[in-house]
Amino acid sequence: MAQTSAHNSDFVWPHKDSSRAPFQVYTDPQLYALEQERIFRGPVWNFLGLTCEIPNPGDYKTTFVGDSPIILSRGADGAINALVNRCAHKGALVCYKPRGNVSEFTCVYHNWTYSLAGDLTGVAFKKGVGGKGGLDADFDQSEHGLERLRVEVYGQLVFGTFSNETPPFAQFIGEELCANIDRVFVKPLKVLGYHSQVLPNNWKLYAENNKDSYHASLLHVFHNTFGVVRPNMGGGVKISPNGWHHLSYTVRNSDANDAVGAEKVRSLKDSYKLNDVRMMEHALELGDLTTNAIQTVFPTLVVQQILNALAVRQILPKGHERTELIWTILGFEGDDAQMQELRMQVNNLVGPAGLISMEDGCVGGWVQRAAGADPRAMTIMPMGGSGIEASEGSRVTEAAVRGFWTGWRALMGV
Amino acid sequence: MSIEQTLNDQLALHLRVNDLYADYAHTLDDDRLEEWPGFFTENGIYRIVTRENRELGLPLSVIYCDGRGMMIDRITAMRTANVYEPHVYCHATSDVRVLDANNGEIRTRSNFTVLRTMTSGETSIFACGRTFETLIEEGSKLRLRERIVVLDSRRIDTLLVIPL
């Protein structure tokens, strides 16, 4: 990993392994700046969008990689391009709308135009007016296109990287974890809607939260409160060998097609009962008995299957103490009205108002507020040892969180 | 029917609808959330959606309750299961309009702003947008057959737990 850096950091990891992290990692603007260079512009695949969001030539959407504004476009030849959304001239945003369809990109500031692949195709008043002004004869337009990212499409997910060193995506996350993406996105996807949730905390607190299978049943007590716990649930945590990526999953034992009637679930407390259990129903559609699967792709993608609620979550850092979480809620092409209605019901569980997810919106902020006072104090991650081993049958482990820090440290060089 | 009579009827309906909006807002802002499902018919629909999804024709809701049972479950979950930092809302409802009233069904709309105040004292603009309702008369009360809250912003700060 190249350590040449525009930023000087004297940051030293203060512990022998990744089972401790100093609060400084959440509160230090210099580390945030270094992350932009070494992580987001480094050898990682950043999630950019779905192929179904830009199905036609000329379609584009805008997004971010770290702080860099990005345009994802489909060229006339059908190829997908990822471009930095910054005019080569004065640096203005070329696309200031979230999505659209165009034949070329035009920066409105001085009317410079670019192809869908980012090549500079036109400069206004290139030859000046009346023989005066304009570009010098030796100005080479081909050197002034929009900055391009390398793109890889894995299944229906589009990723981009600034680095030439990033290995192919399947190698980046490993076969075992690719298998879950293949398992969930088995049919052509369609977007059912977007949520955006602003989290008052550093992006890494949310990235860790997704890898923290230990907190799930403790913080999110909706299931237990209402006694909607299926008996005989198995599951575990899979972690890529380098620790960076993970999958936490739950499998039920029975394929009895369960409308989750109150009689089919074990009641832990009799005091609260759901009046309406439709949002807990699960139509088996993926060819297996997995009920929940939360998968992370380092650094900022979460692939979600919660019953029939399918989604990708994109973590966008917005400064060292603010994060925007973009939820793209998915269904399959060909879903009938009943299936769409079921997905809409189950989506009550997740999102900014999700009955089993809303807590994740605030806990990170509580860490952020408490962490600032003493950046050298440390968070400890002792559950399930100090390594990054996978765990079969139990999710009471912080191995995947330690895996996150293993990846962060490798890229940051600390 | 005389013009005066028609105007009187319209005025009376407008006052009733305005009272309903005010009662609804006061119930939420007073933290009498157990009374909230009672504003709806038994099979009433409540959705919070974003302007973005609505304009894109996408069906996703931030909250989707189909029937009073789901609304009651929301409130029970909020009171007993969900974890969040305590806060209160102040609704400011404006531009209430009766769009039409036919066959016992009244369609209305409004604009709204919700200020959120945390126990720390921090007040912020939490949400603004438009609401679209269908009302029907049940006994002597107007009840919501449907209320769709359309948020102007796609972004929700931190989390949304108290209904709008």
Side-chain angles (χ1 to χ4, degrees):
Chain A
M1 170 80 235
Q3 292 304 314
T4 51
S5 173
H7 305 277
N8 292 314
S9 172
D10 50 9
F11 177 77
V12 175
W13 192 259
H15 194 68
K16 63 180 177 356
D17 56 35
S18 297
S19 67
R20 305 277 188 280
F23 290 127
Q24 186 182 355
V25 296
Y26 308 123
T27 61
D28 186 344
Q30 281 188 316
L31 284 177
Y32 181 84
L34 202 61
E35 286 171 342
Q36 297 301 317
E37 176 187 317
R38 293 191 180 167
I39 294 180
F40 299 110
R41 297 182 75 92
V44 299
W45 285 110
N46 299 282
F47 175 73
L48 301 176
L50 298 148
T51 53
C52 67
E53 291 181 286
I54 46 166
N56 302 309
D59 285 348
Y60 74 88
K61 66 166 269 191
T62 58
T63 182
F64 290 88
V65 168
D67 284 339
S68 301
I70 302 292
I71 304 167
L72 193 65
S73 72
R74 193 180 285 271
D77 57 355
I80 292 179
N81 308 290
L83 311 166
V84 175
N85 187 5
R86 185 180 61 228
C87 182
H89 175 222
K90 287 298 287 181
L93 291 175
V94 175
C95 294
Y96 52 87
K97 293 179 183 170
R99 57 185 69 81
N101 181 282
V102 292
S103 55
E104 62 182 6
F105 296 117
T106 303
C107 176
V108 296
Y109 199 169
H110 300 89
N111 223 42
W112 284 32
T113 56
Y114 300 90
S115 73
L116 294 165
D119 299 319
L120 178 60
T121 50
V123 173
F125 300 119
K126 186 174 169 176
K127 298 194 161 127
V129 175
K132 292 180 179 166
L135 290 175
D136 282 348
D138 63 355
F139 182 86
D140 184 354
Q141 264 185 228
S142 70
E143 288 176 6
H144 297 278
L146 301 177
E147 185 180 359
R148 292 177 62 94
L149 285 73
R150 280 206 295 137
V151 170
E152 184 171 332
V153 178
Y154 183 85
Q156 300 172 68
L157 307 177
V158 185
F159 295 88
T161 182
F162 280 100
S163 169
N164 289 323
E165 295 165 27
T166 318
F169 181 80
Q171 194 181 323
F172 179 66
I173 72 165
E175 260 176 49
E176 187 179 45
L177 293 180
C178 279
N180 185 63
I181 297 178
D182 302 343
R183 184 188 71 81
V184 178
F185 299 143
V186 283
K187 289 187 272 187
L189 293 166
K190 67 175 178 185
V191 173
L192 299 179
Y194 300 96
H195 295 306
S196 159
Q197 190 174 2
V198 176
L199 311 176
N201 52 261
N202 186 278
W203 69 275
K204 297 187 292 298
L205 282 162
Y206 188 76
E208 285 182 278
N209 177 278
N210 283 284
K211 293 173 189 269
D212 173 5
S213 49
Y214 172 39
H215 87 283
S217 64
L218 301 170
L219 177 64
H220 310 298
V221 299
F222 178 82
H223 287 93
N224 285 352
T225 301
F226 289 98
V228 281
V229 179
R230 287 189 184 80
N232 304 319
M233 298 239 271
V237 179
K238 293 179 179 176
I239 301 173
S240 66
N242 63 5
W244 298 18
H245 324 283
H246 102 298
L247 167 67
S248 173
Y249 63 100
T250 309
V251 182
R252 68 189 217 214
N253 283 2
S254 158
D255 63 356
N257 201 12
D258 67 336
V260 183
E263 74 286 358
K264 291 190 178 167
V265 294
R266 182 160 52 99
S267 183
L268 297 181
K269 284 185 188 172
D270 291 331
S271 47
Y272 302 113
K273 284 265 193 285
L274 284 174
N275 288 283
D276 197 318
V277 295
R278 277 178 287 172
M279 72 177 100
M280 305 303 301
E281 287 182 8
H282 183 202
L284 294 174
E285 61 172 337
L286 302 177
D288 63 15
L289 300 177
T290 304
T291 55
N292 287 24
I294 298 294
Q295 174 172 18
T296 57
V297 175
F298 189 95
T300 51
L301 173 66
V302 181
V303 174
Q304 167 205 305
Q305 178 220 341
I306 293 177
L307 305 173
N308 297 97
L310 311 180
V312 288
R313 308 178 198 163
Q314 183 185 19
I315 305 169
L316 299 179
K318 297 288 175 192
H320 68 281
E321 52 190 8
R322 196 169 130 95
T323 301
E324 185 172 5
L325 180 62
I326 308 291
W327 305 68
T328 305
I329 308 303
L330 301 168
F332 292 127
E333 289 291 348
D335 282 352
D336 60 17
Q338 196 183 352
M339 190 56 170
Q340 177 161 308
E341 175 67 12
L342 176 57
R343 294 198 203 281
M344 294 301 91
Q345 293 288 357
V346 180
N347 269 289
N348 277 302
L349 298 176
V350 281
L355 292 165
I356 62 166
S357 74
M358 70 169 76
E359 291 83 7
D360 295 329
C362 61
V363 284
W366 295 346
V367 177
Q368 189 76 33
R369 274 188 263 163
D374 192 356
R376 278 178 291 191
M378 287 195 274
T379 167
I380 67 172
M381 294 157 271
M383 300 304 288
S386 59
I388 55 172
E389 300 81 21
S391 163
E392 192 60 44
S394 168
R395 278 161 288 135
V396 186
T397 172
E398 292 172 298
V401 189
R402 293 188 290 271
F404 173 82
W405 289 112
T406 305
W408 188 85
R409 291 173 59 199
L411 289 167
M412 294 288 279
V414 297
Chain B
M1 195 183 287
S2 71
I3 289 171
E4 290 77 10
Q5 185 59 44
T6 305
L7 281 174
N8 278 339
D9 286 353
Q10 285 182 350
L11 187 59
L13 179 59
H14 191 73
L15 288 173
R16 288 185 74 197
V17 168
N18 266 277
D19 281 353
L20 177 72
Y21 274 104
D23 289 345
Y24 182 100
H26 294 160
T27 300
L28 296 181
D29 295 355
D30 291 350
D31 191 26
R32 292 181 279 117
L33 299 177
E34 285 68 15
E35 298 171 30
W36 170 66
F39 282 92
F40 292 80
T41 62
E42 183 64 33
N43 298 315
I45 288 174
Y46 174 71
R47 287 180 197 274
I48 300 176
V49 301
T50 62
R51 191 169 184 138
E52 178 187 42
N53 286 332
R54 189 176 166 94
E55 288 179 357
L56 291 171
L58 300 175
L60 181 69
S61 304
V62 179
I63 289 181
Y64 170 31
C65 296
D66 179 13
R68 244 186 234 157
M70 287 193 186
M71 300 177 204
I72 294 167
D73 292 342
R74 271 268 161 197
I75 300 304
T76 310
M78 175 187 163
R79 296 292 198 208
T80 63
N82 291 129
V83 179
Y84 51 90
E85 194 159 339
H87 58 277
V88 295
Y89 287 165
C90 181
H91 277 75
T93 308
S94 63
D95 308 294
V96 174
R97 194 85 167 88
V98 175
L99 299 175
D100 58 51
N102 292 314
N103 307 320
E105 207 174 74
I106 303 156
R107 292 192 313 112
T108 64
R109 64 176 288 177
S110 76
N111 287 1
F112 75 97
T113 304
V114 170
L115 302 174
R116 181 189 62 184
T117 300
M118 314 303 292
T119 47
S120 66
E122 184 186 333
T123 300
S124 58
I125 299 171
F126 180 62
C128 69
R130 302 164 294 162
T131 74
F132 298 89
E133 289 82 5
T134 305
L135 310 173
I136 60 164
E137 196 132 23
E138 282 190 346
S140 61
K141 290 193 80 167
L142 284 178
R143 284 215 167 82
L144 293 157
R145 176 174 278 170
E146 182 176 76
R147 173 172 163 93
I148 300 176
V149 179
V150 184
L151 304 174
D152 275 349
S153 174
R154 78 195 304 236
R155 282 188 190 166
I156 289 173
D157 182 72
T158 308
L159 58 81
L160 191 157
V161 63
I162 305 171
L164 297 167

